Amino acid sequence: MAKLLVTADVHGSYGTWLTLKSLLGPDDGLVVAGDLFGTRFPHHGSPDYQPDRIRKELADFNHPLYFVYGNCDKPAFSPGYEENLTFQFMEQTIYLHHGHRQLKQLPFCSGIIIQGHTHVSMLDHEDNILFLNPGSLNVPRDGLFTYATINDIEISLINIKTKERIKRLPLVNTTAC
């Protein structure tokens, strides 16, 4: 994979789903930190709310997908995923969860923790752990329509409207534990 595109809190917005697909390069993976479908508290009044269409398109999705359920996703709607996921990318250990449940302890001493839920973008580090919340391209609570990318050297938080990198951090040394 060339890079990971990271998002959260899509909440069944088909327009947001199309935007995400347009941002993916042919060798990129997609990370969704929960609430892709938003089927627990649906937005029936909006014509953009199309979780069924997103689910159908996932069947033919030609990119690696790392997705965890959020508090607004019904697992029965799209079975086969988990609430937490740990995976490797570019020699980094990545722990993915939605963030609506507090971590009792950090799952490792070096790597990346990705969460959503707040609809507020954040990129920070403490010791050898990078903390990322990509915010939301659908309903941001900080006024910034954001997503993130992870490549072999850094994590970038990007404002989709201005294409500006709001913040970037180099990847951590995974052998420093």
mmCIF file of all heavy atoms in Angstrom, residues 80-123:
data_model
loop_
_atom_site.group_PDB
_atom_site.id
_atom_site.type_symbol
_atom_site.label_atom_id
_atom_site.label_comp_id
_atom_site.label_asym_id
_atom_site.label_seq_id
_atom_site.Cartn_x
_atom_site.Cartn_y
_atom_site.Cartn_z
ATOM 1 N N GLY A 80 -19.309 -8.876 10.488
ATOM 2 C CA GLY A 80 -17.971 -9.294 10.105
ATOM 3 C C GLY A 80 -16.864 -8.362 10.558
ATOM 4 O O GLY A 80 -15.692 -8.628 10.313
ATOM 5 N N TYR A 81 -17.195 -7.289 11.226
ATOM 6 C CA TYR A 81 -16.194 -6.350 11.723
ATOM 7 C C TYR A 81 -16.156 -6.420 13.244
ATOM 8 O O TYR A 81 -16.925 -7.140 13.862
ATOM 9 C CB TYR A 81 -16.508 -4.931 11.231
ATOM 10 C CG TYR A 81 -16.526 -4.831 9.722
ATOM 11 C CD1 TYR A 81 -17.734 -4.829 9.025
ATOM 12 C CD2 TYR A 81 -15.348 -4.761 8.984
ATOM 13 C CE1 TYR A 81 -17.770 -4.747 7.646
ATOM 14 C CE2 TYR A 81 -15.374 -4.691 7.602
ATOM 15 C CZ TYR A 81 -16.587 -4.683 6.939
ATOM 16 O OH TYR A 81 -16.610 -4.608 5.570
ATOM 17 N N GLU A 82 -15.282 -5.663 13.855
ATOM 18 C CA GLU A 82 -15.101 -5.670 15.309
ATOM 19 C C GLU A 82 -15.199 -4.256 15.852
ATOM 20 O O GLU A 82 -15.263 -3.290 15.095
ATOM 21 C CB GLU A 82 -13.716 -6.258 15.655
ATOM 22 C CG GLU A 82 -13.467 -7.659 15.148
ATOM 23 C CD GLU A 82 -14.329 -8.695 15.844
ATOM 24 O OE1 GLU A 82 -14.672 -8.496 17.031
ATOM 25 O OE2 GLU A 82 -14.674 -9.699 15.202
ATOM 26 N N GLU A 83 -15.151 -4.131 17.187
ATOM 27 C CA GLU A 83 -15.121 -2.814 17.827
ATOM 28 C C GLU A 83 -13.702 -2.283 17.980
ATOM 29 O O GLU A 83 -13.509 -1.082 18.164
ATOM 30 C CB GLU A 83 -15.800 -2.862 19.190
ATOM 31 C CG GLU A 83 -17.310 -2.977 19.074
ATOM 32 C CD GLU A 83 -18.020 -2.691 20.379
ATOM 33 O OE1 GLU A 83 -17.370 -2.274 21.361
ATOM 34 O OE2 GLU A 83 -19.242 -2.869 20.405
ATOM 35 N N ASN A 84 -12.720 -3.175 17.928
ATOM 36 C CA ASN A 84 -11.301 -2.808 18.031
ATOM 37 C C ASN A 84 -10.527 -3.618 17.012
ATOM 38 O O ASN A 84 -10.871 -4.768 16.752
ATOM 39 C CB ASN A 84 -10.745 -3.125 19.423
ATOM 40 C CG ASN A 84 -11.552 -2.504 20.526
ATOM 41 O OD1 ASN A 84 -11.594 -1.298 20.665
ATOM 42 N ND2 ASN A 84 -12.226 -3.341 21.299
ATOM 43 N N LEU A 85 -9.486 -3.027 16.475
ATOM 44 C CA LEU A 85 -8.674 -3.723 15.482
ATOM 45 C C LEU A 85 -7.231 -3.265 15.619
ATOM 46 O O LEU A 85 -6.957 -2.061 15.716
ATOM 47 C CB LEU A 85 -9.193 -3.395 14.072
ATOM 48 C CG LEU A 85 -8.445 -3.969 12.882
ATOM 49 C CD1 LEU A 85 -8.555 -5.490 12.858
ATOM 50 C CD2 LEU A 85 -8.985 -3.376 11.584
ATOM 51 N N THR A 86 -6.321 -4.218 15.631
ATOM 52 C CA THR A 86 -4.895 -3.909 15.610
ATOM 53 C C THR A 86 -4.331 -4.461 14.314
ATOM 54 O O THR A 86 -4.598 -5.605 13.951
ATOM 55 C CB THR A 86 -4.172 -4.544 16.817
ATOM 56 O OG1 THR A 86 -4.761 -4.055 18.020
ATOM 57 C CG2 THR A 86 -2.690 -4.186 16.818
ATOM 58 N N PHE A 87 -3.566 -3.640 13.592
ATOM 59 C CA PHE A 87 -2.965 -4.078 12.333
ATOM 60 C C PHE A 87 -1.628 -3.377 12.131
ATOM 61 O O PHE A 87 -1.286 -2.447 12.865
ATOM 62 C CB PHE A 87 -3.913 -3.861 11.156
ATOM 63 C CG PHE A 87 -4.260 -2.419 10.864
ATOM 64 C CD1 PHE A 87 -3.588 -1.714 9.876
ATOM 65 C CD2 PHE A 87 -5.268 -1.776 11.559
ATOM 66 C CE1 PHE A 87 -3.920 -0.397 9.596
ATOM 67 C CE2 PHE A 87 -5.615 -0.467 11.283
ATOM 68 C CZ PHE A 87 -4.933 0.230 10.298
ATOM 69 N N GLN A 88 -0.882 -3.837 11.148
ATOM 70 C CA GLN A 88 0.437 -3.299 10.837
ATOM 71 C C GLN A 88 0.387 -2.538 9.519
ATOM 72 O O GLN A 88 -0.261 -2.969 8.569
ATOM 73 C CB GLN A 88 1.469 -4.429 10.702
ATOM 74 C CG GLN A 88 1.695 -5.225 11.971
ATOM 75 C CD GLN A 88 2.457 -4.434 13.014
ATOM 76 O OE1 GLN A 88 3.443 -3.777 12.719
ATOM 77 N NE2 GLN A 88 1.992 -4.501 14.242
ATOM 78 N N PHE A 89 1.099 -1.411 9.483
ATOM 79 C CA PHE A 89 1.263 -0.640 8.251
ATOM 80 C C PHE A 89 2.606 0.070 8.324
ATOM 81 O O PHE A 89 2.890 0.768 9.293
ATOM 82 C CB PHE A 89 0.129 0.379 8.076
ATOM 83 C CG PHE A 89 0.301 1.273 6.877
ATOM 84 C CD1 PHE A 89 0.084 0.773 5.602
ATOM 85 C CD2 PHE A 89 0.704 2.580 7.028
ATOM 86 C CE1 PHE A 89 0.255 1.587 4.495
ATOM 87 C CE2 PHE A 89 0.878 3.401 5.927
ATOM 88 C CZ PHE A 89 0.651 2.904 4.651
ATOM 89 N N MET A 90 3.443 -0.124 7.320
ATOM 90 C CA MET A 90 4.755 0.525 7.244
ATOM 91 C C MET A 90 5.538 0.364 8.552
ATOM 92 O O MET A 90 6.079 1.321 9.098
ATOM 93 C CB MET A 90 4.621 2.014 6.910
ATOM 94 C CG MET A 90 3.965 2.300 5.597
ATOM 95 S SD MET A 90 5.061 1.893 4.244
ATOM 96 C CE MET A 90 4.023 2.297 2.857
ATOM 97 N N GLU A 91 5.562 -0.858 9.062
ATOM 98 C CA GLU A 91 6.270 -1.206 10.286
ATOM 99 C C GLU A 91 5.721 -0.495 11.523
ATOM 100 O O GLU A 91 6.380 -0.398 12.550
ATOM 101 C CB GLU A 91 7.776 -0.967 10.149
ATOM 102 C CG GLU A 91 8.395 -1.793 9.040
ATOM 103 C CD GLU A 91 9.894 -1.587 8.918
ATOM 104 O OE1 GLU A 91 10.508 -1.010 9.828
ATOM 105 O OE2 GLU A 91 10.439 -2.011 7.898
ATOM 106 N N GLN A 92 4.489 0.004 11.427
ATOM 107 C CA GLN A 92 3.825 0.650 12.552
ATOM 108 C C GLN A 92 2.702 -0.261 13.050
ATOM 109 O O GLN A 92 1.971 -0.839 12.254
ATOM 110 C CB GLN A 92 3.197 1.984 12.129
ATOM 111 C CG GLN A 92 4.179 3.027 11.684
ATOM 112 C CD GLN A 92 4.988 3.582 12.851
ATOM 113 O OE1 GLN A 92 4.456 3.907 13.897
ATOM 114 N NE2 GLN A 92 6.277 3.689 12.650
ATOM 115 N N THR A 93 2.562 -0.360 14.352
ATOM 116 C CA THR A 93 1.410 -1.023 14.929
ATOM 117 C C THR A 93 0.325 0.031 15.089
ATOM 118 O O THR A 93 0.559 1.092 15.667
ATOM 119 C CB THR A 93 1.749 -1.641 16.297
ATOM 120 O OG1 THR A 93 2.794 -2.598 16.118
ATOM 121 C CG2 THR A 93 0.526 -2.322 16.905
ATOM 122 N N ILE A 94 -0.850 -0.265 14.541
ATOM 123 C CA ILE A 94 -1.967 0.679 14.595
ATOM 124 C C ILE A 94 -3.115 0.026 15.342
ATOM 125 O O ILE A 94 -3.512 -1.104 15.040
ATOM 126 C CB ILE A 94 -2.411 1.092 13.176
ATOM 127 C CG1 ILE A 94 -1.254 1.800 12.458
ATOM 128 C CG2 ILE A 94 -3.655 1.988 13.250
ATOM 129 C CD1 ILE A 94 -1.543 2.179 11.029
ATOM 130 N N TYR A 95 -3.632 0.748 16.331
ATOM 131 C CA TYR A 95 -4.790 0.303 17.091
ATOM 132 C C TYR A 95 -5.951 1.206 16.710
ATOM 133 O O TYR A 95 -5.886 2.421 16.867
ATOM 134 C CB TYR A 95 -4.511 0.386 18.593
ATOM 135 C CG TYR A 95 -5.661 -0.082 19.451
ATOM 136 C CD1 TYR A 95 -5.962 -1.440 19.564
ATOM 137 C CD2 TYR A 95 -6.448 0.831 20.136
ATOM 138 C CE1 TYR A 95 -7.017 -1.864 20.349
ATOM 139 C CE2 TYR A 95 -7.511 0.409 20.928
ATOM 140 C CZ TYR A 95 -7.788 -0.940 21.032
ATOM 141 O OH TYR A 95 -8.834 -1.366 21.805
ATOM 142 N N LEU A 96 -7.013 0.605 16.181
ATOM 143 C CA LEU A 96 -8.166 1.338 15.682
ATOM 144 C C LEU A 96 -9.376 1.032 16.547
ATOM 145 O O LEU A 96 -9.699 -0.131 16.793
ATOM 146 C CB LEU A 96 -8.433 0.913 14.229
ATOM 147 C CG LEU A 96 -9.635 1.489 13.505
ATOM 148 C CD1 LEU A 96 -9.498 2.998 13.332
ATOM 149 C CD2 LEU A 96 -9.775 0.811 12.138
ATOM 150 N N HIS A 97 -10.037 2.079 17.036
ATOM 151 C CA HIS A 97 -11.302 1.940 17.757
ATOM 152 C C HIS A 97 -12.064 3.246 17.597
ATOM 153 O O HIS A 97 -11.506 4.264 17.190
ATOM 154 C CB HIS A 97 -11.084 1.564 19.225
ATOM 155 C CG HIS A 97 -10.526 2.665 20.066
ATOM 156 N ND1 HIS A 97 -11.217 3.222 21.098
ATOM 157 C CD2 HIS A 97 -9.346 3.320 20.016
ATOM 158 C CE1 HIS A 97 -10.492 4.168 21.659
ATOM 159 N NE2 HIS A 97 -9.358 4.248 21.025
ATOM 160 N N HIS A 98 -13.347 3.212 17.898
ATOM 161 C CA HIS A 98 -14.165 4.403 17.664
ATOM 162 C C HIS A 98 -13.904 5.501 18.684
ATOM 163 O O HIS A 98 -13.896 6.678 18.340
ATOM 164 C CB HIS A 98 -15.644 4.035 17.638
ATOM 165 C CG HIS A 98 -16.543 5.172 17.275
ATOM 166 N ND1 HIS A 98 -16.383 5.914 16.123
ATOM 167 C CD2 HIS A 98 -17.607 5.711 17.930
ATOM 168 C CE1 HIS A 98 -17.307 6.861 16.079
ATOM 169 N NE2 HIS A 98 -18.066 6.759 17.157
ATOM 170 N N GLY A 99 -13.698 5.123 19.933
ATOM 171 C CA GLY A 99 -13.389 6.122 20.951
ATOM 172 C C GLY A 99 -14.538 6.444 21.874
ATOM 173 O O GLY A 99 -14.391 7.271 22.763
ATOM 174 N N HIS A 100 -15.685 5.802 21.691
ATOM 175 C CA HIS A 100 -16.801 6.067 22.592
ATOM 176 C C HIS A 100 -16.660 5.305 23.905
ATOM 177 O O HIS A 100 -17.387 5.563 24.847
ATOM 178 C CB HIS A 100 -18.145 5.752 21.925
ATOM 179 C CG HIS A 100 -18.327 4.327 21.520
ATOM 180 N ND1 HIS A 100 -17.620 3.760 20.472
ATOM 181 C CD2 HIS A 100 -19.136 3.363 22.005
ATOM 182 C CE1 HIS A 100 -18.003 2.494 20.338
ATOM 183 N NE2 HIS A 100 -18.909 2.235 21.253
ATOM 184 N N ARG A 101 -15.708 4.408 23.978
ATOM 185 C CA ARG A 101 -15.347 3.733 25.228
ATOM 186 C C ARG A 101 -13.893 4.087 25.545
ATOM 187 O O ARG A 101 -13.036 4.033 24.671
ATOM 188 C CB ARG A 101 -15.502 2.231 25.091
ATOM 189 C CG ARG A 101 -16.931 1.805 24.911
ATOM 190 C CD ARG A 101 -17.090 0.303 25.094
ATOM 191 N NE ARG A 101 -18.491 -0.046 25.010
ATOM 192 C CZ ARG A 101 -19.057 -0.570 23.942
ATOM 193 N NH1 ARG A 101 -18.351 -0.821 22.874
ATOM 194 N NH2 ARG A 101 -20.337 -0.862 23.946
ATOM 195 N N GLN A 102 -13.636 4.436 26.782
ATOM 196 C CA GLN A 102 -12.286 4.828 27.188
ATOM 197 C C GLN A 102 -11.346 3.624 27.141
ATOM 198 O O GLN A 102 -11.743 2.505 27.474
ATOM 199 C CB GLN A 102 -12.288 5.391 28.618
ATOM 200 C CG GLN A 102 -13.004 6.703 28.744
ATOM 201 C CD GLN A 102 -12.176 7.854 28.188
ATOM 202 O OE1 GLN A 102 -11.212 7.685 27.459
ATOM 203 N NE2 GLN A 102 -12.585 9.049 28.540
ATOM 204 N N LEU A 103 -10.122 3.879 26.738
ATOM 205 C CA LEU A 103 -9.098 2.852 26.832
ATOM 206 C C LEU A 103 -8.686 2.730 28.294
ATOM 207 O O LEU A 103 -8.336 3.726 28.929
ATOM 208 C CB LEU A 103 -7.866 3.250 26.011
ATOM 209 C CG LEU A 103 -7.968 3.152 24.512
ATOM 210 C CD1 LEU A 103 -6.714 3.722 23.866
ATOM 211 C CD2 LEU A 103 -8.166 1.721 24.083
ATOM 212 N N LYS A 104 -8.752 1.537 28.837
ATOM 213 C CA LYS A 104 -8.339 1.327 30.230
ATOM 214 C C LYS A 104 -6.823 1.408 30.358
ATOM 215 O O LYS A 104 -6.293 1.868 31.351
ATOM 216 C CB LYS A 104 -8.836 -0.024 30.733
ATOM 217 C CG LYS A 104 -10.333 -0.188 30.593
ATOM 218 C CD LYS A 104 -11.032 0.125 31.879
ATOM 219 C CE LYS A 104 -12.487 -0.233 31.777
ATOM 220 N NZ LYS A 104 -13.388 0.847 31.768
ATOM 221 N N GLN A 105 -6.156 0.929 29.332
ATOM 222 C CA GLN A 105 -4.696 1.034 29.273
ATOM 223 C C GLN A 105 -4.296 1.059 27.810
ATOM 224 O O GLN A 105 -5.037 0.596 26.947
ATOM 225 C CB GLN A 105 -4.017 -0.121 30.000
ATOM 226 C CG GLN A 105 -4.292 -1.482 29.370
ATOM 227 C CD GLN A 105 -3.703 -2.600 30.190
ATOM 228 O OE1 GLN A 105 -3.742 -2.585 31.396
ATOM 229 N NE2 GLN A 105 -3.149 -3.581 29.504
ATOM 230 N N LEU A 106 -3.152 1.622 27.514
ATOM 231 C CA LEU A 106 -2.687 1.667 26.128
ATOM 232 C C LEU A 106 -2.335 0.262 25.673
ATOM 233 O O LEU A 106 -1.750 -0.516 26.424
ATOM 234 C CB LEU A 106 -1.493 2.604 26.008
ATOM 235 C CG LEU A 106 -1.805 4.067 26.325
ATOM 236 C CD1 LEU A 106 -0.544 4.920 26.209
ATOM 237 C CD2 LEU A 106 -2.883 4.608 25.411
ATOM 238 N N PRO A 107 -2.679 -0.079 24.438
ATOM 239 C CA PRO A 107 -2.474 -1.453 23.971
ATOM 240 C C PRO A 107 -1.033 -1.786 23.598
ATOM 241 O O PRO A 107 -0.719 -2.934 23.335
ATOM 242 C CB PRO A 107 -3.390 -1.534 22.746
ATOM 243 C CG PRO A 107 -3.515 -0.131 22.279
ATOM 244 C CD PRO A 107 -3.410 0.736 23.487
ATOM 245 N N PHE A 108 -0.154 -0.794 23.562
ATOM 246 C CA PHE A 108 1.248 -1.023 23.233
ATOM 247 C C PHE A 108 2.051 0.195 23.666
ATOM 248 O O PHE A 108 1.493 1.211 24.079
ATOM 249 C CB PHE A 108 1.450 -1.314 21.742
ATOM 250 C CG PHE A 108 0.629 -0.428 20.826
ATOM 251 C CD1 PHE A 108 0.866 0.933 20.724
ATOM 252 C CD2 PHE A 108 -0.380 -0.962 20.048
ATOM 253 C CE1 PHE A 108 0.118 1.743 19.891
ATOM 254 C CE2 PHE A 108 -1.141 -0.159 19.206
ATOM 255 C CZ PHE A 108 -0.885 1.197 19.129
ATOM 256 N N CYS A 109 3.372 0.101 23.567
ATOM 257 C CA CYS A 109 4.229 1.207 24.025
ATOM 258 C C CYS A 109 4.749 2.063 22.875
ATOM 259 O O CYS A 109 5.387 3.083 23.110
ATOM 260 C CB CYS A 109 5.388 0.672 24.843
ATOM 261 S SG CYS A 109 6.528 -0.339 23.890
ATOM 262 N N SER A 110 4.462 1.681 21.636
ATOM 263 C CA SER A 110 4.929 2.437 20.486
ATOM 264 C C SER A 110 4.022 2.147 19.303
ATOM 265 O O SER A 110 3.763 0.991 18.993
ATOM 266 C CB SER A 110 6.368 2.028 20.151
ATOM 267 O OG SER A 110 6.814 2.688 19.000
ATOM 268 N N GLY A 111 3.513 3.190 18.651
ATOM 269 C CA GLY A 111 2.649 2.987 17.495
ATOM 270 C C GLY A 111 1.660 4.125 17.339
ATOM 271 O O GLY A 111 1.907 5.252 17.772
ATOM 272 N N ILE A 112 0.509 3.796 16.724
ATOM 273 C CA ILE A 112 -0.502 4.797 16.401
ATOM 274 C C ILE A 112 -1.848 4.333 16.948
ATOM 275 O O ILE A 112 -2.245 3.189 16.734
ATOM 276 C CB ILE A 112 -0.613 4.984 14.872
ATOM 277 C CG1 ILE A 112 0.738 5.383 14.277
ATOM 278 C CG2 ILE A 112 -1.682 6.023 14.527
ATOM 279 C CD1 ILE A 112 0.793 5.304 12.753
ATOM 280 N N ILE A 113 -2.546 5.221 17.641
ATOM 281 C CA ILE A 113 -3.904 4.957 18.095
ATOM 282 C C ILE A 113 -4.828 5.887 17.327
ATOM 283 O O ILE A 113 -4.649 7.105 17.345
ATOM 284 C CB ILE A 113 -4.050 5.162 19.611
ATOM 285 C CG1 ILE A 113 -3.187 4.123 20.342
ATOM 286 C CG2 ILE A 113 -5.515 5.056 20.031
ATOM 287 C CD1 ILE A 113 -3.183 4.250 21.847
ATOM 288 N N ILE A 114 -5.794 5.287 16.620
ATOM 289 C CA ILE A 114 -6.754 6.047 15.823
ATOM 290 C C ILE A 114 -8.135 5.875 16.427
ATOM 291 O O ILE A 114 -8.559 4.747 16.694
ATOM 292 C CB ILE A 114 -6.780 5.564 14.359
ATOM 293 C CG1 ILE A 114 -5.403 5.704 13.711
ATOM 294 C CG2 ILE A 114 -7.836 6.332 13.557
ATOM 295 C CD1 ILE A 114 -5.300 5.061 12.326
ATOM 296 N N GLN A 115 -8.832 6.986 16.620
ATOM 297 C CA GLN A 115 -10.205 6.944 17.097
ATOM 298 C C GLN A 115 -11.006 8.061 16.455
ATOM 299 O O GLN A 115 -10.450 9.002 15.906
ATOM 300 C CB GLN A 115 -10.277 7.048 18.613
ATOM 301 C CG GLN A 115 -9.729 8.344 19.160
ATOM 302 C CD GLN A 115 -9.722 8.366 20.675
ATOM 303 O OE1 GLN A 115 -9.705 7.324 21.317
ATOM 304 N NE2 GLN A 115 -9.743 9.541 21.244
ATOM 305 N N GLY A 116 -12.318 7.940 16.512
ATOM 306 C CA GLY A 116 -13.222 8.951 15.977
ATOM 307 C C GLY A 116 -14.129 9.453 17.081
ATOM 308 O O GLY A 116 -13.657 9.868 18.124
ATOM 309 N N HIS A 117 -15.428 9.392 16.879
ATOM 310 C CA HIS A 117 -16.493 9.664 17.828
ATOM 311 C C HIS A 117 -16.727 11.146 18.132
ATOM 312 O O HIS A 117 -17.860 11.589 18.151
ATOM 313 C CB HIS A 117 -16.275 8.888 19.136
ATOM 314 C CG HIS A 117 -17.402 9.010 20.109
ATOM 315 N ND1 HIS A 117 -18.691 8.614 19.804
ATOM 316 C CD2 HIS A 117 -17.439 9.478 21.371
ATOM 317 C CE1 HIS A 117 -19.462 8.839 20.857
ATOM 318 N NE2 HIS A 117 -18.745 9.369 21.813
ATOM 319 N N THR A 118 -15.703 11.917 18.343
ATOM 320 C CA THR A 118 -15.896 13.307 18.777
ATOM 321 C C THR A 118 -16.208 14.248 17.632
ATOM 322 O O THR A 118 -16.658 15.365 17.874
ATOM 323 C CB THR A 118 -14.657 13.838 19.512
ATOM 324 O OG1 THR A 118 -13.557 13.887 18.595
ATOM 325 C CG2 THR A 118 -14.316 12.982 20.714
ATOM 326 N N HIS A 119 -15.922 13.853 16.398
ATOM 327 C CA HIS A 119 -16.078 14.704 15.217
ATOM 328 C C HIS A 119 -15.155 15.923 15.303
ATOM 329 O O HIS A 119 -15.402 16.934 14.652
ATOM 330 C CB HIS A 119 -17.533 15.189 15.037
ATOM 331 C CG HIS A 119 -18.517 14.098 14.785
ATOM 332 N ND1 HIS A 119 -19.418 14.154 13.746
ATOM 333 C CD2 HIS A 119 -18.779 12.944 15.433
ATOM 334 C CE1 HIS A 119 -20.186 13.079 13.774
ATOM 335 N NE2 HIS A 119 -19.811 12.336 14.786
ATOM 336 N N VAL A 120 -14.094 15.815 16.092
ATOM 337 C CA VAL A 120 -13.115 16.894 16.258
ATOM 338 C C VAL A 120 -11.745 16.333 15.898
ATOM 339 O O VAL A 120 -11.303 15.335 16.469
ATOM 340 C CB VAL A 120 -13.102 17.429 17.711
ATOM 341 C CG1 VAL A 120 -12.016 18.471 17.901
ATOM 342 C CG2 VAL A 120 -14.469 18.001 18.069
ATOM 343 N N SER A 121 -11.080 16.978 14.955
ATOM 344 C CA SER A 121 -9.779 16.487 14.510
ATOM 345 C C SER A 121 -8.702 16.747 15.566
ATOM 346 O O SER A 121 -8.735 17.748 16.282
ATOM 347 C CB SER A 121 -9.386 17.154 13.190
ATOM 348 O OG SER A 121 -9.368 18.561 13.337
ATOM 349 N N MET A 122 -7.761 15.796 15.644
ATOM 350 C CA MET A 122 -6.676 15.903 16.605
ATOM 351 C C MET A 122 -5.526 15.010 16.148
ATOM 352 O O MET A 122 -5.737 13.886 15.703
ATOM 353 C CB MET A 122 -7.177 15.463 17.982
ATOM 354 C CG MET A 122 -6.170 15.595 19.126
ATOM 355 S SD MET A 122 -5.128 14.143 19.396
ATOM 356 C CE MET A 122 -6.301 12.853 19.667
ATOM 357 N N LEU A 123 -4.323 15.530 16.247
ATOM 358 C CA LEU A 123 -3.115 14.758 15.983
ATOM 359 C C LEU A 123 -2.083 15.192 17.010
ATOM 360 O O LEU A 123 -1.727 16.371 17.080
ATOM 361 C CB LEU A 123 -2.604 15.005 14.555
ATOM 362 C CG LEU A 123 -1.309 14.321 14.150
ATOM 363 C CD1 LEU A 123 -1.404 12.800 14.281
ATOM 364 C CD2 LEU A 123 -0.921 14.710 12.729
#
